[in-house]
């Protein structure tokens, strides 16, 4: 009960801070917005935004575990992902798009990693959706590892057509990458294990799965 009350209080304080940050951003009070965001980065992760950006995804998770009880980890990840998105928005509102991109990517990675580790993780209402991050990154060429994480997320959520789109975007970017071709072949082989109904719901009918699998196998044969 004490843990639950503490978590609820922390969430309420965070949502209030985000509301304030949003208002400051809309009013173009950039310095004040950055001050609020900086305080939240310190409160949640015990480090500055710049320090967190320089960390790998693994190092960032380790920082969150180190800075507080492990039972609060998922909640802290959700809050931090939201904060990265908000800080990216502050920068983008000032047309500092190159600076905003890394914040959006870091927040996106936090969410994708969380959903990959726990399929039952429930995204709180205040947390931006995956699509919200992708819209913010629409002019950004996503790194290969980000596209792989997205593809796995879409497969996990049954959005097979979106997963396929990510796969072919990666393959077109690196057409000679045999490892990617193998990755795609295994993906389609997994899909063939689903029912026709499930594939149809995922907007990727069985015949399309078979055709795409054959195409990748042909491409792979051409690389050898």
């Amino acid at each position: 009960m004490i843990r639950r009350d503490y978590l609820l209080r922390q969430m309420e304080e965070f949502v209030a801070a985000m509301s304030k940050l949003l208002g400051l951003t809309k009013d173009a009070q950039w310095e004040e917005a950055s001050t609020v965001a900086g305080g939240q980065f310190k409160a949640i992760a015990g480090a500055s935004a710049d320090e967190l950006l320089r960390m790998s995804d693994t190092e960032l998770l380790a920082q969150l575990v180190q800075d507080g009880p492990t039972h609060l980890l998922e909640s802290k990840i959700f809050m931090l992902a939201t904060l990265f998105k908000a800080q990216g928005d502050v920068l983008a509102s000032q047309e500092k798009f190159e600076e905003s991109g890394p914040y959006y990517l870091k927040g996106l990675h936090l969410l994708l990693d969380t959903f990959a580790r726990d399929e039952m993780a429930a995204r709180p209402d205040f947390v931006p959706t995956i699509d919200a991050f992708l819209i913010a990154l629409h002019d950004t060429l996503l790194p290969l590892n980000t596209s792989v994480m997205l593809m796995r997320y879409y497969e996990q959520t049954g959005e097979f057509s979106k997963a396929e789109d990510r796969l072919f975007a990666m393959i077109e970017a690196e057409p000679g990458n045999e490892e990617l071709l193998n990755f795609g072949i295994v993906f389609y082989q997994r899909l063939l294990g689903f029912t026709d109904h499930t594939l149809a719901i995922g907007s990727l009918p069985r015949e399309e799965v078979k055709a795409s699998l054959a195409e990748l196998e042909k491409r792979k044969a051409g690389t050898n």
Side-chain angles (χ1 to χ4, degrees):
M1 185 66 178
I2 294 176
R3 287 182 176 181
R4 182 174 179 274
D5 289 344
Y6 172 78
L7 178 59
L8 287 174
R9 185 170 64 254
Q10 187 180 37
M11 288 282 195
E12 289 171 355
E13 292 173 354
F14 176 75
V15 171
M18 288 299 95
S19 179
K20 181 178 181 180
L21 178 57
L22 178 61
L24 291 170
T25 301
K26 286 183 176 179
D27 293 339
Q29 298 183 48
W30 314 127
E31 186 174 344
E32 293 86 346
S34 294
T35 298
V36 172
Q40 288 300 307
F41 277 117
K42 283 283 188 180
I44 296 169
S48 70
D50 288 341
E51 290 171 328
L52 296 172
L53 278 184
R54 289 194 295 269
M55 295 180 187
S56 67
D57 294 345
T58 301
E59 290 169 339
L60 182 52
L61 288 175
Q63 172 72 18
L64 292 176
V65 171
Q66 172 184 309
D67 194 57
T70 55
H71 69 273
L72 297 179
L73 179 59
E74 185 176 287
S75 298
K76 291 172 71 173
I77 288 173
F78 281 136
M79 288 188 287
L80 190 57
T82 303
L83 187 55
F84 275 126
K85 174 66 167 55
Q87 181 62 19
D89 290 344
V90 170
L91 294 167
S93 296
Q94 301 173 70
E95 298 187 355
K96 297 180 179 180
F97 301 115
E98 288 189 8
E99 295 179 42
S100 66
Y103 285 94
Y104 292 140
L105 269 180
K106 187 66 77 172
L108 177 60
H109 278 205
L110 277 173
L111 285 189
L112 291 173
D113 182 69
T114 298
F115 294 139
R117 287 184 291 104
D118 182 5
E119 295 185 19
M120 302 303 293
R123 180 185 61 82
D125 290 340
F126 66 81
V127 179
T129 63
I130 297 296
D131 283 345
F133 279 100
L134 294 178
I135 290 170
L137 289 163
H138 70 281
D139 286 330
T140 302
L141 180 62
L142 297 180
L144 185 64
N145 66 317
T146 305
S147 291
V148 169
M149 293 173 75
L150 275 168
M151 181 183 165
R152 286 173 171 161
Y153 168 76
Y154 287 134
E155 181 183 355
Q156 177 182 315
T157 56
E159 299 173 273
F160 303 133
S161 180
K162 288 185 178 181
E164 181 181 56
D165 289 343
R166 287 292 164 184
L167 172 63
F168 274 94
M170 288 188 286
I171 291 174
E172 294 307 318
E174 299 189 25
N177 189 327
E178 187 173 348
E179 187 175 345
L180 268 180
L181 293 176
N182 288 330
F183 181 68
I185 287 170
V186 173
F187 164 68
Y188 287 117
Q189 289 172 340
R190 283 197 302 271
L191 292 191
L192 289 175
F194 289 101
T195 65
D196 290 348
H197 178 68
T198 300
L199 292 175
I201 290 176
S203 300
L204 200 60
R206 185 171 301 277
E207 291 308 310
E208 291 185 23
V209 173
K210 290 180 178 179
S212 295
L213 174 59
E215 179 182 345
L216 293 194
E217 289 175 335
K218 182 178 179 180
R219 288 196 189 196
K220 181 182 176 182
T223 63
N224 296 326

